[in-house]
């Protein structure tokens, strides 16, 4: 029951990877591509011909679209993205949403049919070229992962700067930034559902043999990354707002640190490999360091509002930490972009455009002002502890759809299937 087959990496294989993915604001995993399966061979003796044909048609549509468009979706050239990428992402997402309710019929009430079809997907971050499992829950998990990947790709397109109407400055509009937060929460919702409601349905043997692309740690990390980048956008909007206080900005920056720290903790010990996996690890490292630069900067500004020598000294130490993390983040960014598939940063905008200018300037100013009071040796050797805030941003509460009505018709005709209601 639920046996699996993993094909080792070979010289060529099915993985088609771009060597250059262009501008990256959001890490988008390489798309896992489904391979064709023969539903009629596996289910022809158990289901009506019409239902088998419907399953086949819905999945074949995804196989064709993902196979043709997958490699181009990952490359984020802005011209392609604005003219074609949105519809490509939307069409593939709609195809997955159409397939999922019909697919869930295979798992309702623990039906033995969930173990009859060998579902095969091409991996991206795992050493194994592809993984086949006789498990419809593996298929559901793969579908949710692909839906989340498409949402992250949509967020990346929204956050690539466009040339403004004056033709001079590249920027991301406030509308696009606000829309991206909704998309991040949607991606996090798919991943959260996968972790909380799909993985528990799979026996331990299958879970242990999932490709690393679908490992619980990777799914949790991607969910946390989406939330972390959502908070990053909120911080950028707060920076642009005259009403947002330093305390609000510090809180957002400190929350961002926690999201990225948790993301890093989840993938730290996983065998991420094959370009995409290493690139994933480097992205999390970069963003974690970048978040710490922001958090120490705002913490330093608030400490500097104190009236004691100690608070000023701690402020200087925090600002110096921010400056060091900013320098370190630039090196981490370079390591991410030069790892294969290579990428590049879009023009600076938002939070990091502001902080890359303010941190060196304010740090230099504070150190110069306080140098008579505080020699380098007297400044804390370690930066002051960042305040701990509860995480406010949560994933959308995505729930698996109800089983398609065609399965009720099947139950009526066969007399042996009952309605499946997924857990909320």
């Amino acid at each position: 029951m639920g046996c699996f087959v993993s094909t080792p990496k070979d010289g060529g294989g099915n993985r088609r990877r771009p060597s250059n993915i262009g501008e990256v604001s959001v890490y988008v995993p390489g798309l896992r591509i489904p391979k064709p399966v023969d539903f009629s061979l596996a289910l022809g003796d158990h289901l009506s011909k019409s239902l088998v044909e419907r399953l086949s048609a819905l999945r074949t549509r995804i196989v064709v679209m993902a196979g043709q468009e997958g490699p181009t979706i990952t490359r984020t050239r802005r011209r392609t993205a604005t003219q074609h990428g949105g519809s490509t992402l939307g069409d593939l997402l709609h195809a997955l949403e159409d397939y999922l309710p019909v697919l869930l019929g295979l798992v309702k009430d623990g039906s033995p049919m969930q173990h009859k079809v060998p579902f095969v997907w091409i991996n991206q971050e795992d050493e194994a070229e592809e993984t086949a499992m006789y498990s419809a829950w593996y298929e559901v998990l793969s579908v949710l992962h692909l839906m989340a990947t498409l949402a992250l790709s949509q967020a990346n397109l929204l956050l690539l700067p466009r040339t403004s109407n004056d033709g001079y400055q590249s920027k991301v509009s406030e509308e696009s930034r606000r829309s991206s937060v909704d998309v991040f929460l949607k991606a996090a919702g798919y991943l959260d559902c996968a972790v909380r409601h799909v993985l528990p349905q799979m026996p331990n043997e299958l879970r242990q043999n999932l490709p690393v692309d679908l490992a619980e740690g990777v799914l949790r990390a991607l969910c946390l990354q989406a939330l972390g980048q959502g908070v990053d956008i909120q911080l950028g909007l707060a920076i642009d707002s005259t009403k947002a206080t330093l305390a609000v900005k510090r809180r957002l920056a400190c929350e961002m640190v926690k999201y990225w720290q948790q993301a890093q903790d989840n993938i730290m010990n996983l065998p991420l490999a094959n370009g995409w996996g290493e690139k994933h690890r480097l992205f999390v490292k970069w963003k974690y360091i970048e978040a710490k630069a922001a958090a120490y900067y705002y913490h330093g500004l608030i400490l500097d509002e104190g009236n004691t020598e100690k608070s000023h000294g701690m402020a200087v130490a925090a600002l110096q930490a921010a400056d060091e993390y900013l320098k370190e983040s630039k090196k981490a960014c370079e390591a991410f972009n030069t790892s294969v598939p290579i990428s590049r940063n879009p023009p600076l905008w938002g939070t990091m455009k502001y902080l890359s200018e303010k941190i060196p300037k304010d740090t230099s100013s504070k150190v110069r002002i306080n140098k008579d009071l505080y020699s380098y040796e007297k400044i804390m050797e370690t930066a002051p502890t960042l305040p701990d805030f509860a995480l406010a941003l949560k994933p959308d509460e995505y729930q698996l759809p109800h089983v398609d009505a065609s399965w009720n018709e099947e139950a009526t005709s066969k007399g042996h299937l009952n309605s499946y209601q997924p857990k909320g």
Side-chain angles (χ1 to χ4, degrees), residues 161-181:
R162 317 278 180 220
T163 303
S164 56
N165 292 333
D166 57 18
Y168 175 66
Q169 188 177 18
S170 293
K171 62 182 181 180
V172 178
S173 69
E174 182 175 334
E175 180 184 2
S176 290
R177 286 188 282 170
R178 293 189 182 279
S179 295
S180 76
V181 175

Side-chain angles (χ1 to χ4, degrees), residues 93-332:
L93 182 59
H94 287 319
L96 292 163
E97 291 172 338
D98 289 345
Y99 174 51
L100 196 50
V102 185
L103 169 65
L104 284 168
L106 291 176
V107 300
K108 64 180 180 180
D109 293 337
S111 168
M113 282 186 292
Q114 67 181 282
H115 305 298
K116 293 190 178 297
V117 183
F119 293 104
V120 189
W121 288 71
I122 299 167
N123 302 317
Q124 294 292 348
E125 297 190 345
D126 198 271
E127 282 288 348
E129 176 83 16
E130 61 187 43
T131 300
M133 289 189 172
Y134 283 82
S135 168
W137 281 117
Y138 166 62
E139 179 82 345
V140 173
L141 187 63
S142 297
V143 166
L144 288 178
H145 179 270
L146 184 50
M147 289 168 68
T149 302
L150 295 175
L152 292 172
S153 186
Q154 181 186 356
N156 189 48
L157 297 180
L158 285 168
L159 298 178
L160 293 179
R162 317 278 180 220
T163 303
S164 56
N165 292 333
D166 57 18
Y168 175 66
Q169 188 177 18
S170 293
K171 62 182 181 180
V172 178
S173 69
E174 182 175 334
E175 180 184 2
S176 290
R177 286 188 282 170
R178 293 189 182 279
S179 295
S180 76
V181 175
D182 294 335
V183 176
F184 281 129
L185 297 184
K186 182 186 295 185
Y190 296 145
L191 294 159
D192 186 58
C193 176
V195 169
R196 295 195 297 122
H197 300 304
V198 178
L199 281 178
Q201 301 288 344
M202 303 179 73
N204 284 335
E205 181 191 11
L206 281 189
R207 290 182 64 168
Q208 291 168 6
N209 288 282
L210 285 169
V212 74
D213 308 57
L214 300 179
E216 182 175 348
V218 169
L219 299 176
R220 287 186 183 277
L222 286 170
C223 178
L224 289 159
Q225 288 169 232
L227 297 174
Q229 292 209 262
V231 175
D232 190 358
I233 299 303
Q234 291 181 331
L235 176 57
L237 292 169
I239 289 170
D240 289 347
S241 170
T242 56
K243 297 179 180 179
T245 64
L246 275 180
V248 167
K249 295 169 190 174
R250 180 178 67 173
R251 181 188 179 104
L252 289 169
C254 289
E255 287 184 36
M256 191 162 59
V257 170
K258 287 181 70 174
Y259 283 119
W260 286 108
Q261 181 177 13
Q262 290 178 22
Q264 182 164 278
D265 290 345
N266 272 284
I267 64 172
M268 186 178 299
N269 297 317
L270 292 175
L272 293 169
N274 288 317
W276 280 118
E278 180 61 17
K279 200 166 185 72
H280 186 180
R281 192 191 306 279
L282 290 169
F283 184 81
V284 173
K285 178 182 178 182
W286 164 32
K287 289 297 177 179
Y288 179 36
I289 295 170
E290 202 173 72
K292 286 195 282 189
Y296 277 108
Y297 173 69
Y298 284 111
H299 190 39
L301 293 185
I302 287 179
L303 287 171
D304 196 49
E305 292 179 339
N307 293 319
T308 66
E309 180 176 332
K310 181 180 178 182
S311 66
H312 287 307
M314 291 173 66
V316 171
L319 290 171
Q320 285 184 317
D323 195 43
E324 290 302 313
Y325 280 126
L326 182 64
K327 294 172 185 173
E328 192 180 340
S329 75
K330 292 176 181 177
K331 296 176 184 175

